[in-house]
Amino acid sequence: NAMAITDRCRLALTKLEIPTAEGVVLSLSASFGVACSHENMDIDNLFRDADRALYLAKERGRNQVVRA
């Protein structure tokens, strides 16, 4: 579920158009790392896993969601 929700957020961001004062329209993209905790995982390891997945998403070309 976390992957699907995160990907819907990513897609929603790509659909935004941000006009500037100069008349240029900017677009967005985003990369996300998703990690799920388990019974014996502490918060530091959870964030570390999510961070690794985020950087893997960037290495793979950005604008995607990667699960740890």
Side-chain angles (χ1 to χ4, degrees), residues 5-31:
I5 292 167
T6 306
D7 200 48
R8 283 197 304 269
C9 292
R10 182 192 62 78
L11 288 171
L13 285 171
T14 64
K15 293 178 182 175
L16 292 176
E17 293 183 344
I18 305 166
T20 66
E22 295 81 20
V24 176
V25 177
L26 302 176
S27 60
L28 299 173
S29 69
S31 297

Side-chain angles (χ1 to χ4, degrees), residues 1 10 17-18 20-21 24-25 30 36-37 39 43 47 50 56 66:
N1 288 339
R10 182 192 62 78
E17 293 183 344
I18 305 166
T20 66
V24 176
V25 177
C36 297
S37 71
E39 191 174 309
I43 193 74
F47 279 113
L56 186 55
V66 173

Side-chain angles (χ1 to χ4, degrees), residues 18-61:
I18 305 166
T20 66
E22 295 81 20
V24 176
V25 177
L26 302 176
S27 60
L28 299 173
S29 69
S31 297
F32 294 91
V34 175
C36 297
S37 71
H38 54 77
E39 191 174 309
N40 297 319
M41 179 178 270
D42 64 21
I43 193 74
D44 290 330
N45 285 328
L46 181 64
F47 279 113
R48 191 172 303 120
D49 286 352
D51 192 53
R52 280 190 205 119
L54 169 63
Y55 281 95
L56 186 55
K58 291 179 178 185
E59 287 175 20
R60 290 181 178 173

